[in-house]
């Protein structure tokens, strides 16, 4: 991407939407090659001597204190036409007619182009005007000697355009004695409008840290020449994050890989690519429970089009298999603690379930609904965090009753070895004793025995036949009772002190 003769300027067009109905924008990469003035003049149709179409408000303070943003429903397309930039030009003055006119130096000569949503690169040899063009597009150049037109989604940019776009300069502008989080918070405090609350700023900073993969170094100082700090890639990503806290629709980057080795440069570019591809999304940060039902009438096949994110899901109710686009909704499964599963017993269903288990590092409970047709293949899956297994659905007609062989498979499975709480249907009451003796980590067992003769009509009887049978065969320290609401269930507390 970079070499001795060519460098690049990157602009990432991204936006966050608040509407649940979103448009799908194709992610394209366009390259505008800039060479010498003669070549540039052949790209455009005609020069334009009119002034640049930026509008400048009069007061800087008003621009910062007023929350201004571009239309959230827009596509974020940036186009420019007949951009011409000349420095050192001396124009005719009616009062000083004796002064000789000076032509000036052409930095940019009649350049036109368009940047669609996604990551776009401006490439060319050193000194051809890449940085100057980037500065012009970001409204960072003095209007003197500047002409042409710039449009955002076909309209002139708003008055405060340069204050609502992000611009990452080539040199890192950060404080080496502050941590990554403190640098991001400093940027948020200084640059965000006054009506953005402190809590909202902290949420933005935390999200930027997650998006850029800076969690491990968030509280590490950046470092100086006398103080060891973060790596070069983490440093560059922090600089990018200081702009992302503004939630800009358009992000300009001036040679973002300068000074980085090839591996680090690749990581930075991959990070930018992900940002550009996932730029249009609706993030539901406060949705703890999510249900996904796979049916012919749902819109799951279009989830990539909507790009809805649920980063803080705690409980997931899901049908397997599901469309691959659904993975884009689950941006993070680190908060997931319980999952209810409905399985179609296919290869892809078990592959997807194992992939989900691998990503959910804090998953505690696995609940299998409609386990009547459950395949023993389930017990080939692995998870280091699951401690609770539930194989009983709401309706007893959907319960799978485990026989002696099924119980042995469960006992020797990766899921069974770490199980502490087991909810299961059993064909024979003898399997209760077998499970307790063979599963040393088991603390609580809730079961429904098919040979349990307890019914509501004999519930007034003093003796509960199954409970008495268990008390004879199990230690007296075990607490055995029948569920008051679901009387078909027997509850056993195997080690009451540790429960």
């Amino acid at each position: 991407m970079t070499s001795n003769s060519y460098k690049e300027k990157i602009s990432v067009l991204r936006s966050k939407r608040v509407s649940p109905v979103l448009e799908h924008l194709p992610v394209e990469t366009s390259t505008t090659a800039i060479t010498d003035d003669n070549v540039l003049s052949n790209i455009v149709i005609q020069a334009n001597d009119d002034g640049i179409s930026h509008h400048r408000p009069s007061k800087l303070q008003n621009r910062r204190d007023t929350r201004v943003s571009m239309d959230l429903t827009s596509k974020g397309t940036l186009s420019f036409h007949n951009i011409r930039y000349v420095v050192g030009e001396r124009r005719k003055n009616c009062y000083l007619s004796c002064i000789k006119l000076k032509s000036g130096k052409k930095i940019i000569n009649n350049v036109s182009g368009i940047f669609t949503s996604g990551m776009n690169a401006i490439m060319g040899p050193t000194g051809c005007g890449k940085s100057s063009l980037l500065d012009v597009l970001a409204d960072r150049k003095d209007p003197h000697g500047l002409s042409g037109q710039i449009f955002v989604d076909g309209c002139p940019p708003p008055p405060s355009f340069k204050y609502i776009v992000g611009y990452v300069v080539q040199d890192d502008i950060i404080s080496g004695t502050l941590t990554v989080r403190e640098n991001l918070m400093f940027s948020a405090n200084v640059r965000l409008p006054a009506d953005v609350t402190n809590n909202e700023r902290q949420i933005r900073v935390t999200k930027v840290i997650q998006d850029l993969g800076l969690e491990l170094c968030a509280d590490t100082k950046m470092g100086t020449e006398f103080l060891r700090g973060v790596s070069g890639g983490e440093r560059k990503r922090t600089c990018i994050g200081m702009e992302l806290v503004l939630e800009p629709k358009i992000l300009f980057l001036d040679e973002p890989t300068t000074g980085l080795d090839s591996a680090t440069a690749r990581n930075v570019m991959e990070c930018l690519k992900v940002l550009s591809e996932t730029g249009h999304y609706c993030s539901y940060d406060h949705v703890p429970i999510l249900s996904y039902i796979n049916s012919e009438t749902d819109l799951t096949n279009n989830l990539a089009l909507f790009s809805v994110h649920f980063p803080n899901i705690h409980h997931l109710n899901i049908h397997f298999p599901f469309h691959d686009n659904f993975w884009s909704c689950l941006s993070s499964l680190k908060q997931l603690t319980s999952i209810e599963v409905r399985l179609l017993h296919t290869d892809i269903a078990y592959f997807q379930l194992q992939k989900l288990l691998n990503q959910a590092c804090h998953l505690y409970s696995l609940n299998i609904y409609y386990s009547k047709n459950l395949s023993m293949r389930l017990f080939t899956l692995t998870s280091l965090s699951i401690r609770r297994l539930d194989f009983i659905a709401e309706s007893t007609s959907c319960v799978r009753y485990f026989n002696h062989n099924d119980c042995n498979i469960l006992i020797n499975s990766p899921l069974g070895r770490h199980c502490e709480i087991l909810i299961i249907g059993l064909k024979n009451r003898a399997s209760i004793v077998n499970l307790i003796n063979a599963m040393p980590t088991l603390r609580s067992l809730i079961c429904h025995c098919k040979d349990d003769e307890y019914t509501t009509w004999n519930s007034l009887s003093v003796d509960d036949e199954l409970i008495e049978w268990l008390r004879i065969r199990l230690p007296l320290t075990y607490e055995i009772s029948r569920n008051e609401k679901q009387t078909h269930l027997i509850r056993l507390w195997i080690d009451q002190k540790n429960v």
Side-chain angles (χ1 to χ4, degrees), residues 137-176:
L137 298 179
D139 194 16
R140 296 168 65 92
K141 285 294 185 184
D142 190 296
H144 179 71
L146 185 60
S147 63
Q149 294 177 313
I150 296 176
F151 298 99
V152 179
D153 296 324
C155 301
S160 57
F161 177 71
K162 78 177 186 178
Y163 296 100
I164 57 177
V165 299
Y167 194 103
V168 180
V169 297
Q170 181 175 344
D171 298 325
D172 299 337
I173 304 178
I174 50 180
S175 175

Side-chain angles (χ1 to χ4, degrees), residues 94-361:
C94 60
Y95 298 103
L96 300 173
S97 58
C98 61
I99 297 180
K100 185 178 180 180
L101 299 180
K102 186 178 179 181
S103 60
K105 181 180 179 180
K106 294 180 181 179
I107 305 299
I108 303 174
N109 187 26
N110 300 333
V111 177
S112 298
I114 183 171
F115 293 150
T116 58
S117 180
M119 186 163 66
N120 303 267
I122 304 174
M123 302 181 67
T126 301
C128 69
K130 302 185 300 295
S131 294
S132 296
L133 178 58
L134 209 63
D135 289 341
V136 170
L137 298 179
D139 194 16
R140 296 168 65 92
K141 285 294 185 184
D142 190 296
H144 179 71
L146 185 60
S147 63
Q149 294 177 313
I150 296 176
F151 298 99
V152 179
D153 296 324
C155 301
S160 57
F161 177 71
K162 78 177 186 178
Y163 296 100
I164 57 177
V165 299
Y167 194 103
V168 180
V169 297
Q170 181 175 344
D171 298 325
D172 299 337
I173 304 178
I174 50 180
S175 175
T177 57
L178 298 180
T179 65
V180 172
R181 190 186 306 275
E182 288 170 345
N183 271 285
L184 297 177
M185 199 65 196
F186 174 78
S187 178
N189 289 335
V190 171
R191 304 174 64 190
L192 287 175
D195 58 341
V196 180
T197 64
N198 185 61
N199 183 53
E200 184 176 347
R201 296 178 187 188
Q202 292 179 353
I203 292 175
R204 288 195 188 190
V205 168
T206 301
K207 178 160 180 49
V208 167
I209 290 174
Q210 294 174 350
D211 290 345
L212 296 179
L214 296 170
E215 295 98 327
L216 296 179
C217 63
D219 298 312
T220 303
K221 292 186 178 181
M222 299 303 302
T224 64
E225 55 182 351
F226 304 108
L227 176 67
R228 184 178 178 85
V230 299
S231 66
E234 292 167 340
R235 189 180 186 89
K236 180 59 69 174
R237 279 180 283 164
T238 302
C239 293
I240 296 172
M242 293 180 70
E243 299 298 319
L244 293 183
V245 294
L246 303 178
E247 297 184 349
K249 191 178 189 66
I250 301 175
L251 177 63
F252 297 97
L253 300 102
D254 187 359
E255 298 186 14
T257 58
T258 298
L260 303 178
D261 59 75
S262 58
T264 305
R266 178 183 178 86
N267 291 336
V268 171
M269 294 307 298
E270 287 178 347
C271 178
L272 292 175
K273 185 175 185 294
V274 171
L275 286 174
S276 67
E277 290 178 345
T278 60
H280 271 71
Y281 66 89
C282 182
S283 181
Y284 293 91
D285 296 340
H286 304 290
V287 177
I289 301 175
L290 177 64
S291 294
Y292 161 67
I293 301 175
N294 189 9
S295 67
E296 296 180 357
T297 58
D298 69 31
L299 297 176
T300 309
N301 291 347
N302 295 323
L303 281 175
L305 182 146
F306 293 151
S307 294
V308 180
H309 289 185
F310 300 95
N312 295 314
I313 295 299
H314 291 210
H315 178 77
L316 179 62
N317 184 350
I318 186 170
H319 289 196
F320 288 89
F322 52 78
H323 195 279
D324 284 340
N325 288 342
F326 184 68
W327 289 112
S328 65
C329 295
L330 306 176
S331 57
S332 174
L333 293 175
K334 294 181 179 180
Q335 305 294 328
L336 186 65
T337 56
S338 64
I339 179 174
E340 295 180 6
V341 174
R342 290 168 172 82
L343 276 170
L344 292 178
H345 303 290
T346 61
D347 291 341
I348 184 62
Y350 284 100
F351 173 79
Q352 290 178 338
L353 178 55
Q354 181 63 71
K355 182 178 178 181
L356 189 147
L357 295 181
N358 293 340
Q359 296 182 17
C361 56

Side-chain angles (χ1 to χ4, degrees), residues 470-488:
L470 290 171
R471 284 174 176 168
I472 294 173
R473 289 161 177 80
L474 295 175
L476 297 176
T477 56
Y478 291 7
E479 182 176 328
I480 307 172
S481 63
R482 190 175 292 275
N483 191 305
E484 295 181 359
K485 295 183 178 179
Q486 296 174 296
T487 56
H488 61 283

